Structures are given as structure tokens and as C-alpha cells.
Amino acid sequence: MEERVGQLWDRFITRMAHQGHPQAAVKLDQVSGPLGVFYRALGGNSALRISATTATLHQARRSWLHRVAGTGRKAELAWQDESCLYLPACLDLFAEPQLNRDLYFWLAALAGTPIAAETLPDTSWIVESQQRTCQALQRYQGLRQRYQRLVKAYIALRPAPASLKYDAAAQERAIQQALKVPGSVTELPDGKYAPAPVALWLHPDAPRCGGQAADGEISDRQASQGETRQAEQRRRQAERVDKPDEQGATLGVRHEADLFSFAEFIKMDRSTDEEDNPDQAESIANDIDKMSVTQDNSTVASRIKFDLDLPSAQEDDIPLSEGILYPEWDYKKSRLLSDYCRIIPMRSRHAVDAELPQHLQKPARRLRRQFESLSLSPQWIRGQYEGDKLNLDAYLDYRGSVANNPSGYTGDPRLYCQKRPLVRDIASLLLADLSLSTDAWVNNEQQVIDVIRDSVHLFAESLHASGDQFAIHGFSSRRRQHVRFNCIKDFNETYDAGIRGRIADMSPGFYTRMGAAIRHATELLSHQSAEKKLLLLLTDGKPNDLDRYEGRHGVEDTRKAIQQARSQGLIPFCITIDADASQYLPYLFGVQGYTVIRQAEQLPKRLPQLYMTLTGKLYAG
């Protein structure tokens, strides 16, 4: 009974202390699409994705109601780093939903506004925030009215200076003045407490990671979906520290006030998924303001390293060469690192001849009929001296040139269109991501790798029927010196039971060093003599690897590899089942260079259809 009463009281007092307006709440998921376009259109870094921020501790004085409820210690503020723009997962600050929506767009504009070169690194938070505001309003005049509405509504929510003590009142007057007239306040008065966080400005002390991840510590992402997806993306403030004494610290004084500042090292195993109460563990993690992590050379870490190690030579795929060296793009230095990555072409050791799986035979028969008709479809050829019909546009241009040219030039007399059988001269290379993330499950029914196998099976059946030249390869990686490039079908190989066996033997590998794989695929395609060359990338996530390839570095290198492929006349196109792909694929492939399959189980049916659509556009153009 006491526990039940305590729960009811906690919910009541927490609800009373909350100062938001849930009925007018706007979630980041609802505006992330237009917000990303808005942010990049205003000059924001195209490589940055938009993600939910995490609440951070502030030092402002709380109201008595917050103190009773035990809330109000943290605030969700916007900030950005080299890989992400972090915004609150939900905004319910104002009673009007439109104002909450406007606040998202204002924060995005503020983050996308560069600070002037003369701004010094030691500029105070209030001065820097005003400078950002002034530059944003100067560059984007259309935001002035929106900003003024936000300021008017926001100041009404902040404490009135007259209700505060002298030092707090001076701080609040300075902040409100800075909001109303940006640039008019040169410093923030000192006070016993920090001022209340300002929701219209960026974070005054944005979280930063205290160290880079060591090799082998970054695990491959799993394809997770559901209501907790956005919460899992939140950035946590962390620091990397040296391993302390195993004995931990000794608590000498047991005063209650000291308990809140005491930190003790506790050796805990967090490398496995077993947890008696996962919900409680997540709640505890959410209450921690800064997580300090260290590396422990224990038997558990050794086991994980062994699990991710390469298989023995007797069990591994057959290497076809000692390796091919390729460069990698270092975006920080703006140069290619020559001979940095090693591609190792491999072929399956255990693949055996196989027939098409039973559940794919019916859709394969239908696709073969569709693709067989592609080479028989007629095409209108323009610019002929004689033909089946007159090209009206060419005729009007011809008559105009005759009438307007006094020199007697009669223009191009090739005014006819002729219907001829379509001759398809195209070479396509399908590059499949075989990283660890493909070991995840789709709707708890089948694994991603099973969906990829089915898709590749139907893709091969379709292109074999059309007569188009095609190759199929898979890739995964374990650091830069071991990028596995699995040869499933070369251009010079005939599609048969042996190729079907290799497709059936595809299995999840390691990580996703996408740039090196694209460069090698580009090299293979460049040796084909076809008129059109299509590079299809089939993936379920972003570029990543055990080393620094995680994050911005991998994205920038992949983008550079795609640009290099286009410069050689290739047409790269990405098919992905990653729900977050719209955050980074436009930056990599362009807005017309990718498609997202929302339901992964639809991929086997959609992949051949996409190929037919893509090639149809190529020849129509």
C-alpha cells in the first residue's frame, strides 16, 4: 500500500512540477525531414545528421516545486559537433504547437550559422549566443518575424526579474535584454547561481567525448527499430579515464551532503546482454550526467576479441590474390592517403552447386518473362533522314532556321523518327553489404542476410534473362588492411548453378569499409566496354569499421569514392533498408541517387523493379 501511494504521489508531484504543454508538443521525428532540408538549405554542413540530444545538468536555482519533485536538474538544449546536429527529442515549451515547431527551425538556423572569424575562442557564452543570433538574422531576413514571436512568448515564460534577488535579477535582465536586442549585452553579471538555461540559444557547454575509441571497441550497429529508436540515438556525455585501483576509493566521512559528490570505481561486466532488470539499468544510465569508461584487459575482453577475429585459413574463404591497395580520403587533411586500404578478393570455399530456392521459383518465372521482353522492346530513334513519323520539334526548328537565316543556311534536315529494336548495352555491378549488421532480424521472422540472399537471387535471375552484362560482389572489412571483397559472379562468368551456390553461401562478415569497396567496384566496372555502367550498392547501414572509419571519416571517404566513380562515367545508386538513411544518403549519393526500402521483406521484389526503372530512365534520356 505504501509503495502504491508513493507511486501516485510521485506521478502527481512530477506532473505538477512540469512546466511544459504536452497537448502542444512537437516531436523531432515529426519535423526531421523538412528540418534537414531547411538546415542544409541555409548552409548547414550536409554531412551532419539530425539526432535527439540528451538532457544535461545545469547549475541554475530550481523552484521549490521542482525541489520537492526532484526534477528540473537537467535541460535538453541544442548543440552540434562534427557528425551530428543534436536537437530536443520533443518540444512542449509553448502552448501553441506552431511556436514549438518554429523553435526547432530557429535552433537549426542558429546551428547552421557560422561564427565570424574575429570571434575569439574565450568569448563568453552570452556574447557568442548574441553574435550567432545577429548573424542568423542578418543572413536570413525572413527569420526576423519568427524570432520576434519566439522571444515574446519565451520571455513571458522566464522568471520576472522583479521576483528575483539582486544578483539573479541582474542576470535575468541581461539575458532578456540580449534576447530582445541581440548584441546589446557585453557580459553576464556574476551571481551565486547560474542563470536558467536559454532554450532559444545553443548549449553553453555542449557535451564532448573525452577520448577516441580504441581499436576493437566500436561494435557494428544492429538494425533496430521501434519506439525506443530515437531514445537510443541520444548523445551521452562521457570521458575516457585510466583504470583506477581495483580496491576503489574509501569513504571516510558519511555526511549526507558528501554522498552526492562521492564517486567510487566499481568493476562491472557490461560486455554482455544479460541483465536482471534492463529497465532499471537504463533508468540508472539516464540519471548519470557523465559516464567515465575505461578498458580492462580481462578474460571477457579477450573472448570478444576472439569472437571478432578472422577465421582460420582452412575455414576462411579462398583469397584470389595477396591484396590490392587503394587510397582513402582524409577529410581533415583534405587529401587522399595513398595505398591506405587493402582489398582482398575472395571466393567462397564451401559453396556447392545449387538450384533456386523453392519459395523464389514462382516470382523468378514472372521476372524472367518481364526481363526477356526488355531486349525486344522497340525504341524511337530521332534524327533520321527518313522514318516512320515526322519529329515536330525538329521540323519547327528547321523551318525557323530557314526563315531567319539570310545566308541561306537551311539547318539540319534530319527530321524523322524511326522505330527500331532496342539494343541494350549496359554493364551493372551489384555490391552487397555483408557486414555484421546483416545478422539482425526482420520482424522476428527472418534475418537481414536472408533477405539479401533472396534479393540477389532474383536480381541475378532477372538480369540473366535480359541478357545484360552483370557482376555480383559482396564486401565486409576488419580494419583498413583487410577489406574482404567476395566474388560471387564476375562479368566473364556464366550464371549457372555454381553462381547460385555462391549466393546461397553468402553470410554476415565483419564491418563496412564502404569507400574501399566502391573504389574496387569502380575499377572492375571501368574495364567494361558497355555504353552505360551502373553501380548498385545494397546496404543496411552507414560506413563503419573498427578503427577511425566510424562516423564522419567513413561518410566523407564514401562520398569521395562515389564522386570518383561518377567522374569515370559510372552511375552509382544505393538501395538501403536503413530507417535513418535519409539523414546521410542525400549527402553521399544526391537526392536522386538512392532509395529507401521501408519494409525490408519487400527488398527481393523491389530490387529487380528498381533495376528495370533505372535502366529505362537511362535509355529514355
Side-chain angles (χ1 to χ4, degrees), residues 37 40 46-47 559 566 580-594 596:
V37 175
R40 294 173 179 92
S46 299
R559 183 170 186 257
R566 285 201 177 101
D580 298 324
S582 57
Q583 294 281 354
Y584 59 90
L585 282 187
Y587 181 69
L588 295 180
F589 288 87
V591 293
Q592 301 295 328
Y594 74 98
V596 180

Side-chain angles (χ1 to χ4, degrees), residues 441-489:
W441 288 82
V442 178
N443 298 329
N444 295 322
E445 295 178 357
Q446 60 181 152
Q447 291 177 290
V448 174
I449 188 63
D450 296 328
V451 175
I452 291 178
R453 286 195 201 101
D454 290 350
S455 304
V456 175
H457 269 304
L458 294 180
F459 178 84
E461 293 287 331
S462 302
L463 269 69
H464 179 62
S466 71
D468 292 346
Q469 305 174 57
F470 72 100
I472 302 172
H473 298 275
F475 75 97
S476 63
S477 63
R478 191 177 185 274
R479 298 189 177 92
R480 64 186 180 90
Q481 290 295 337
H482 192 90
V483 184
R484 303 163 67 88
F485 200 85
N486 300 79
C487 177
I488 299 168
K489 180 191 177 303

Side-chain angles (χ1 to χ4, degrees), residues 32-48 50 85 105 108-114 136 139-140 143 586-587 591:
S32 59
L35 194 62
V37 175
F38 177 81
Y39 171 72
R40 294 173 179 92
L42 294 187
N45 194 325
S46 299
L48 269 62
I50 297 177
L85 167 60
F105 283 86
L110 206 63
T113 302
R139 294 181 64 182
Y140 319 120
L143 293 176
Y587 181 69
V591 293

Side-chain angles (χ1 to χ4, degrees), residues 273-519:
D273 294 332
E274 289 79 7
E275 175 62 50
D276 294 335
N277 192 342
D279 294 335
Q280 182 178 2
E282 182 179 0
S283 176
I284 293 172
N286 289 335
D287 289 337
I288 298 176
D289 297 312
K290 180 180 287 187
M291 297 182 183
S292 299
V293 294
T294 187
Q295 185 174 2
D296 181 18
N297 297 323
S298 64
T299 56
V300 175
S302 300
R303 180 180 65 82
I304 292 177
K305 184 176 180 180
F306 175 79
D307 288 345
L308 296 179
D309 206 353
L310 297 173
S312 63
Q314 292 76 15
E315 295 297 325
D316 201 2
D317 292 338
I318 302 172
L320 302 180
S321 72
E322 294 183 356
I324 306 169
L325 295 177
Y326 283 96
E328 186 167 281
W329 178 253
D330 189 330
Y331 80 98
K332 291 185 177 179
K333 298 179 180 179
S334 295
R335 68 182 181 91
L336 283 169
L337 306 177
S338 60
D339 297 341
Y340 192 77
C341 297
R342 183 181 299 274
I343 288 281
I344 302 179
M346 311 188 83
R347 183 160 290 167
S348 174
R349 181 183 297 273
H350 304 291
V352 294
D353 292 0
E355 296 301 322
L356 193 67
Q358 184 67 33
H359 67 282
L360 296 178
Q361 291 186 5
K362 183 177 179 179
R365 285 194 297 269
R366 176 178 54 81
L367 287 169
R368 280 195 292 265
R369 287 194 299 268
Q370 292 178 357
F371 276 75
E372 283 172 354
S373 64
L374 289 180
S375 59
L376 303 177
S377 300
Q379 182 185 27
W380 285 104
I381 308 298
R382 300 181 181 182
Q384 303 299 309
Y385 288 104
E386 58 183 19
D388 300 315
K389 69 176 183 179
L390 181 68
N391 185 342
L392 185 58
D393 291 336
Y395 175 76
L396 293 176
D397 291 341
Y398 173 75
R399 295 301 301 174
S401 65
V402 172
N404 298 325
N405 195 331
S407 64
Y409 173 71
T410 58
D412 190 349
R414 293 177 294 179
L415 309 178
Y416 294 91
C417 297
Q418 193 173 51
K419 208 170 192 179
R420 297 177 184 173
L422 175 63
V423 178
R424 293 170 62 89
D425 187 16
I426 185 169
S428 302
L429 189 150
L430 178 64
L431 186 60
D433 175 4
L434 302 180
S435 60
L436 283 174
S437 57
T438 61
D439 200 29
W441 288 82
V442 178
N443 298 329
N444 295 322
E445 295 178 357
Q446 60 181 152
Q447 291 177 290
V448 174
I449 188 63
D450 296 328
V451 175
I452 291 178
R453 286 195 201 101
D454 290 350
S455 304
V456 175
H457 269 304
L458 294 180
F459 178 84
E461 293 287 331
S462 302
L463 269 69
H464 179 62
S466 71
D468 292 346
Q469 305 174 57
F470 72 100
I472 302 172
H473 298 275
F475 75 97
S476 63
S477 63
R478 191 177 185 274
R479 298 189 177 92
R480 64 186 180 90
Q481 290 295 337
H482 192 90
V483 184
R484 303 163 67 88
F485 200 85
N486 300 79
C487 177
I488 299 168
K489 180 191 177 303
D490 275 331
F491 282 107
N492 58 1
E493 289 185 299
T494 303
Y495 178 69
D496 55 15
I499 303 300
R500 295 190 190 98
R502 294 179 198 167
I503 296 175
D505 192 56
M506 292 192 323
S507 59
F510 298 90
Y511 302 91
T512 318
R513 207 172 199 98
M514 202 172 284
I518 290 176
R519 288 184 177 92

Side-chain angles (χ1 to χ4, degrees), residues 28 56 76 81 94 193 288 313 384 386 403 425 432 438 574 582 604 613 616:
L28 181 58
T56 53
E76 290 190 5
D81 60 13
F94 302 108
Y193 296 96
I288 298 176
Q384 303 299 309
E386 58 183 19
D425 187 16
T438 61
C574 180
S582 57
T613 302

Side-chain angles (χ1 to χ4, degrees), residues 596-608:
V596 180
I597 308 298
R598 302 295 179 184
Q599 296 178 324
E601 61 272 16
Q602 296 294 317
L603 181 60
K605 180 175 69 175
R606 293 286 306 279
L607 181 59

